[in-house]
PDB file of all heavy atoms in Angstrom:
ATOM      1  N   LEU P  77      33.011  16.976   1.869  1.00  0.00           N
ATOM      2  CA  LEU P  77      33.605  15.640   1.797  1.00  0.00           C
ATOM      3  C   LEU P  77      33.811  15.194   0.353  1.00  0.00           C
ATOM      4  O   LEU P  77      34.735  14.423   0.067  1.00  0.00           O
ATOM      5  CB  LEU P  77      32.734  14.628   2.549  1.00  0.00           C
ATOM      6  CG  LEU P  77      32.785  14.724   4.066  1.00  0.00           C
ATOM      7  CD1 LEU P  77      31.767  13.793   4.706  1.00  0.00           C
ATOM      8  CD2 LEU P  77      34.181  14.409   4.578  1.00  0.00           C
ATOM      9  N   GLU P  78      32.973  15.672  -0.555  1.00  0.00           N
ATOM     10  CA  GLU P  78      33.158  15.342  -1.976  1.00  0.00           C
ATOM     11  C   GLU P  78      34.510  15.840  -2.480  1.00  0.00           C
ATOM     12  O   GLU P  78      35.043  15.318  -3.450  1.00  0.00           O
ATOM     13  CB  GLU P  78      32.030  15.931  -2.812  1.00  0.00           C
ATOM     14  CG  GLU P  78      30.702  15.213  -2.679  1.00  0.00           C
ATOM     15  CD  GLU P  78      30.701  13.828  -3.267  1.00  0.00           C
ATOM     16  OE1 GLU P  78      31.417  13.578  -4.254  1.00  0.00           O
ATOM     17  OE2 GLU P  78      29.973  12.975  -2.723  1.00  0.00           O
ATOM     18  N   SER P  79      35.078  16.836  -1.826  1.00  0.00           N
ATOM     19  CA  SER P  79      36.397  17.347  -2.224  1.00  0.00           C
ATOM     20  C   SER P  79      37.496  16.326  -1.988  1.00  0.00           C
ATOM     21  O   SER P  79      38.610  16.489  -2.493  1.00  0.00           O
ATOM     22  CB  SER P  79      36.723  18.631  -1.457  1.00  0.00           C
ATOM     23  OG  SER P  79      35.782  19.627  -1.746  1.00  0.00           O
ATOM     24  N   LEU P  80      37.203  15.275  -1.237  1.00  0.00           N
ATOM     25  CA  LEU P  80      38.185  14.203  -1.055  1.00  0.00           C
ATOM     26  C   LEU P  80      38.506  13.508  -2.377  1.00  0.00           C
ATOM     27  O   LEU P  80      39.523  12.820  -2.485  1.00  0.00           O
ATOM     28  CB  LEU P  80      37.691  13.179  -0.031  1.00  0.00           C
ATOM     29  CG  LEU P  80      37.739  13.607   1.421  1.00  0.00           C
ATOM     30  CD1 LEU P  80      37.039  12.582   2.297  1.00  0.00           C
ATOM     31  CD2 LEU P  80      39.178  13.796   1.875  1.00  0.00           C
ATOM     32  N   SER P  81      37.661  13.700  -3.370  1.00  0.00           N
ATOM     33  CA  SER P  81      37.957  13.102  -4.678  1.00  0.00           C
ATOM     34  C   SER P  81      39.268  13.643  -5.241  1.00  0.00           C
ATOM     35  O   SER P  81      39.952  12.959  -5.994  1.00  0.00           O
ATOM     36  CB  SER P  81      36.812  13.351  -5.659  1.00  0.00           C
ATOM     37  OG  SER P  81      36.715  14.724  -5.962  1.00  0.00           O
ATOM     38  N   TYR P  82      39.629  14.877  -4.845  1.00  0.00           N
ATOM     39  CA  TYR P  82      40.917  15.440  -5.285  1.00  0.00           C
ATOM     40  C   TYR P  82      42.090  14.678  -4.684  1.00  0.00           C
ATOM     41  O   TYR P  82      43.219  14.804  -5.166  1.00  0.00           O
ATOM     42  CB  TYR P  82      41.021  16.921  -4.920  1.00  0.00           C
ATOM     43  CG  TYR P  82      40.058  17.788  -5.674  1.00  0.00           C
ATOM     44  CD1 TYR P  82      38.977  18.370  -5.039  1.00  0.00           C
ATOM     45  CD2 TYR P  82      40.228  18.015  -7.036  1.00  0.00           C
ATOM     46  CE1 TYR P  82      38.084  19.174  -5.740  1.00  0.00           C
ATOM     47  CE2 TYR P  82      39.350  18.811  -7.742  1.00  0.00           C
ATOM     48  CZ  TYR P  82      38.277  19.389  -7.089  1.00  0.00           C
ATOM     49  OH  TYR P  82      37.399  20.170  -7.781  1.00  0.00           O
ATOM     50  N   LEU P  83      41.850  13.914  -3.643  1.00  0.00           N
ATOM     51  CA  LEU P  83      42.870  13.055  -3.060  1.00  0.00           C
ATOM     52  C   LEU P  83      42.783  11.646  -3.646  1.00  0.00           C
ATOM     53  O   LEU P  83      43.792  11.064  -4.041  1.00  0.00           O
ATOM     54  CB  LEU P  83      42.714  13.001  -1.533  1.00  0.00           C
ATOM     55  CG  LEU P  83      43.545  11.977  -0.784  1.00  0.00           C
ATOM     56  CD1 LEU P  83      45.032  12.301  -0.902  1.00  0.00           C
ATOM     57  CD2 LEU P  83      43.134  11.918   0.678  1.00  0.00           C
ATOM     58  N   PHE P  84      41.564  11.106  -3.710  1.00  0.00           N
ATOM     59  CA  PHE P  84      41.389   9.713  -4.119  1.00  0.00           C
ATOM     60  C   PHE P  84      41.693   9.476  -5.600  1.00  0.00           C
ATOM     61  O   PHE P  84      42.288   8.454  -5.949  1.00  0.00           O
ATOM     62  CB  PHE P  84      39.980   9.221  -3.800  1.00  0.00           C
ATOM     63  CG  PHE P  84      39.687   9.141  -2.328  1.00  0.00           C
ATOM     64  CD1 PHE P  84      38.470   9.577  -1.826  1.00  0.00           C
ATOM     65  CD2 PHE P  84      40.613   8.644  -1.437  1.00  0.00           C
ATOM     66  CE1 PHE P  84      38.190   9.514  -0.469  1.00  0.00           C
ATOM     67  CE2 PHE P  84      40.347   8.579  -0.083  1.00  0.00           C
ATOM     68  CZ  PHE P  84      39.133   9.008   0.400  1.00  0.00           C
ATOM     69  N   VAL P  85      41.292  10.382  -6.472  1.00  0.00           N
ATOM     70  CA  VAL P  85      41.514  10.171  -7.908  1.00  0.00           C
ATOM     71  C   VAL P  85      43.005  10.107  -8.241  1.00  0.00           C
ATOM     72  O   VAL P  85      43.436   9.181  -8.940  1.00  0.00           O
ATOM     73  CB  VAL P  85      40.770  11.224  -8.755  1.00  0.00           C
ATOM     74  CG1 VAL P  85      41.167  11.127 -10.217  1.00  0.00           C
ATOM     75  CG2 VAL P  85      39.256  11.058  -8.609  1.00  0.00           C
ATOM     76  N   PRO P  86      43.844  11.046  -7.751  1.00  0.00           N
ATOM     77  CA  PRO P  86      45.279  10.905  -8.053  1.00  0.00           C
ATOM     78  C   PRO P  86      45.908   9.635  -7.464  1.00  0.00           C
ATOM     79  O   PRO P  86      46.753   9.005  -8.110  1.00  0.00           O
ATOM     80  CB  PRO P  86      45.904  12.154  -7.431  1.00  0.00           C
ATOM     81  CG  PRO P  86      44.809  13.134  -7.337  1.00  0.00           C
ATOM     82  CD  PRO P  86      43.573  12.326  -7.099  1.00  0.00           C
ATOM     83  N   VAL P  87      45.487   9.266  -6.268  1.00  0.00           N
ATOM     84  CA  VAL P  87      46.034   8.043  -5.660  1.00  0.00           C
ATOM     85  C   VAL P  87      45.656   6.833  -6.503  1.00  0.00           C
ATOM     86  O   VAL P  87      46.505   5.968  -6.785  1.00  0.00           O
ATOM     87  CB  VAL P  87      45.557   7.900  -4.194  1.00  0.00           C
ATOM     88  CG1 VAL P  87      45.881   6.531  -3.646  1.00  0.00           C
ATOM     89  CG2 VAL P  87      46.190   8.981  -3.334  1.00  0.00           C
ATOM     90  N   LEU P  88      44.396   6.758  -6.941  1.00  0.00           N
ATOM     91  CA  LEU P  88      43.983   5.646  -7.801  1.00  0.00           C
ATOM     92  C   LEU P  88      44.670   5.711  -9.164  1.00  0.00           C
ATOM     93  O   LEU P  88      44.978   4.677  -9.749  1.00  0.00           O
ATOM     94  CB  LEU P  88      42.461   5.647  -7.971  1.00  0.00           C
ATOM     95  CG  LEU P  88      41.662   5.265  -6.737  1.00  0.00           C
ATOM     96  CD1 LEU P  88      40.171   5.424  -6.993  1.00  0.00           C
ATOM     97  CD2 LEU P  88      41.970   3.838  -6.309  1.00  0.00           C
ATOM     98  N   SER P  89      44.920   6.918  -9.667  1.00  0.00           N
ATOM     99  CA  SER P  89      45.634   7.063 -10.935  1.00  0.00           C
ATOM    100  C   SER P  89      47.052   6.506 -10.837  1.00  0.00           C
ATOM    101  O   SER P  89      47.551   5.896 -11.777  1.00  0.00           O
ATOM    102  CB  SER P  89      45.700   8.532 -11.353  1.00  0.00           C
ATOM    103  OG  SER P  89      44.436   9.026 -11.643  1.00  0.00           O
TER     104      SER P  89
END
Side-chain angles (χ1 to χ4, degrees):
L77 287 173
E78 286 292 328
S79 299
L80 286 172
S81 67
Y82 293 109
L83 170 65
F84 294 137
V85 172
V87 169
L88 290 175
S89 294

